Amino acid sequence: MTTTAPARTDLYPTRGVGEVTTPRQDPVVWSPPGTPGPVDAADLQGLERNGFLTVDQLISPDEVVLYRDELDRLINDPAVRADERSIIEPKSQDVRSVFEVHKLSELFAGLVRDERVVGRARQILGSDVYVHQSRINVKPGFGASGFYWHSDFETWHAEDGLPNMRTISVSIALTENYDTNGGLMIMPGSHKTFLGCAGETPKDNYKQSLKMQDAGTPSDEALTGFAQEHGIKLFTGKAGAATWFDCNCMHGSGDNITPFPRSNVFIVFNSVENAAVEPFAAPAPRPSFIGSRDFTPVR
């Protein structure tokens, strides 16, 4: 006698024949009101409403120097550059990103465990959390390329198999973010609508998408509609500032053609109750250094 496995529910269809919008089916803030933690009630309400919250100084100026020196050490290490976890700019051949930095560096591992960081993630997601992804992003001056508009959750759902929107990201600035050097842009409120993109996911899509995204990219028409409805917020701030944002925010960043570098450390926390399953719209999961299959809680 054979049995058929029950069909799993896909709350957020994507990578089909055409684009499709789906209202958000999940909470934004998962912990009950009044749950103690480092994020105050006003900031949690702002996160619920806008999809993001900012911390003017999450780490001190002295800590910024330590983390920036560690970033420089990693990107200048020939062994790290040759590692598959390093992504190289197609034109300049400079290091664009280094993934899984909390495993490559004990200093960044300590940052992940820091209660100023993981404590906020636990409070927002209402559970223990693990690191779905970590990386350093490097945007040196004079031509570093940007990241086109996208929802992280669209990729993490389609290609990594995250079932629900129970994931939060933090970008911690290691250099000053001006309004001219390719800073993060978010469409406030866009996290309340999931935009399923058109087109099948190619095999090993990550090899291309980490350099220049194609699959999972919204159409100009969809982006125009989102921008008209939500507007665009550009984030600036001193080194040491942090932006927390929901996994479904429509966001991106422009090229940096100024002389002023823009570098940050980027950590993605996922709830242990939202562990990755098989991808919803890809032939196979991406490598674990991009979308972790180790669901061990951060301690």
Side-chain angles (χ1 to χ4, degrees), residues 136-252:
I136 46 175
N137 290 328
V138 186
K139 266 197 177 180
F142 299 118
S145 55
F147 293 85
Y148 198 68
W149 291 105
H150 63 286
S151 153
D152 286 330
F153 180 74
E154 193 280 335
T155 298
W156 298 339
H157 182 68
E159 300 186 36
D160 296 340
L162 296 193
N164 295 93
M165 296 179 182
R166 199 171 179 178
T167 313
I168 191 80
S169 301
V170 60
S171 175
I172 304 172
L174 299 182
T175 54
E176 184 157 359
N177 284 233
Y178 302 101
D179 58 3
T180 53
N181 66 340
L184 173 68
M185 297 181 288
I186 292 177
M187 298 184 185
S190 59
H191 64 304
K192 295 293 186 72
T193 303
F194 178 74
L195 179 62
C197 297
E200 291 187 0
T201 308
K203 182 181 178 182
D204 293 337
N205 179 55
Y206 74 94
K207 294 180 179 178
Q208 171 62 27
S209 67
L210 295 178
K211 298 176 182 178
M212 187 169 293
Q213 194 159 351
D214 186 13
T217 301
S219 68
D220 291 352
E221 293 77 14
L223 288 171
T224 299
F226 266 58
Q228 288 174 339
E229 180 177 357
H230 301 293
I232 296 173
K233 163 76 173 174
L234 170 66
F235 292 84
T236 59
K238 299 288 186 181
T243 303
W244 291 84
F245 59 102
D246 180 82
C247 57
N248 191 46
C249 284
M250 191 64 70
H251 67 288

Side-chain angles (χ1 to χ4, degrees), residues 87-105:
I87 309 303
I88 309 301
E89 285 276 3
K91 293 182 180 178
S92 69
Q93 293 298 298
D94 291 331
V95 174
R96 174 188 177 98
S97 302
V98 180
F99 282 80
E100 222 170 37
V101 290
H102 69 296
K103 293 189 176 181
L104 288 170
S105 162

Side-chain angles (χ1 to χ4, degrees), residues 7 10 15 25 40 45 66 78 86 105 115 117-118 125-126 129 177 186 205 228 231 238 276-277 291 294:
D10 183 355
R15 312 279 175 104
Q25 306 294 302
D40 64 30
Q45 290 169 1
L66 291 175
S86 293
S105 162
E115 276 300 313
V117 178
V118 71
L125 299 181
V129 298
N177 284 233
I186 292 177
N205 179 55
Q228 288 174 339
K238 299 288 186 181
V277 295
D294 177 357

